[in-house]
Amino acid sequence: SSSSSSSSGSSSKPAPSLATGSNLSVNSSGNNNYKNTSDAVRTIMRREGLRGLYRGYGATLLSFGPFSALNFVFFEAFKEAASSWMMKNNAPASPQQQQQQQ
């Protein structure tokens, strides 16, 4: 049993967070806050309302936005480079393209 004390906040109320599986939100003292996902949703809705369910979602969006943009840019660049290489090297077309040509 490990005990760690954290004095990062002055609030005694644990911040709710949802996770999948049996590791469903563990507070700073190591105790499970909820029995399952539906219990977590019901409890958060009762205590904090709809806003409580989406707390922290802004940070998620801020992290996924740049990732998605870079992923799209690199995918499009790779797709163009691969298409160009295939044209130069007379690579066979994909099965879908072969069917369309027939």
Side-chain angles (χ1 to χ4, degrees):
S1 155
S2 69
S3 68
S4 64
S5 67
S6 171
S7 60
S8 62
S10 60
S11 174
S12 62
K13 181 176 121 181
S17 63
L18 295 177
T20 56
S22 62
N23 187 18
L24 192 68
S25 181
V26 175
N27 64 21
S28 61
S29 65
N31 299 323
N32 286 333
N33 291 330
Y34 311 109
K35 292 180 248 178
N36 53 41
T37 302
S38 31
D39 178 51
V41 170
R42 280 192 307 270
T43 303
I44 293 169
M45 285 294 291
R46 185 174 55 249
R47 291 181 184 169
E48 302 177 46
L50 188 60
R51 177 174 257 179
L53 287 178
Y54 291 97
R55 179 174 299 154
Y57 193 60
T60 300
L61 291 177
L62 288 173
S63 69
F64 285 160
F67 169 79
S68 296
L70 288 172
N71 187 36
F72 178 75
V73 167
F74 285 113
F75 173 79
E76 289 298 319
F78 176 76
K79 185 171 77 170
E80 183 63 34
S83 177
S84 177
W85 181 86
M86 289 177 70
M87 292 290 217
K88 287 180 189 174
N89 294 299
N90 293 326
S94 69
Q96 292 85 6
Q97 290 171 335
Q98 289 174 355
Q99 285 178 348
Q100 289 173 352
Q101 291 173 356
Q102 293 177 356

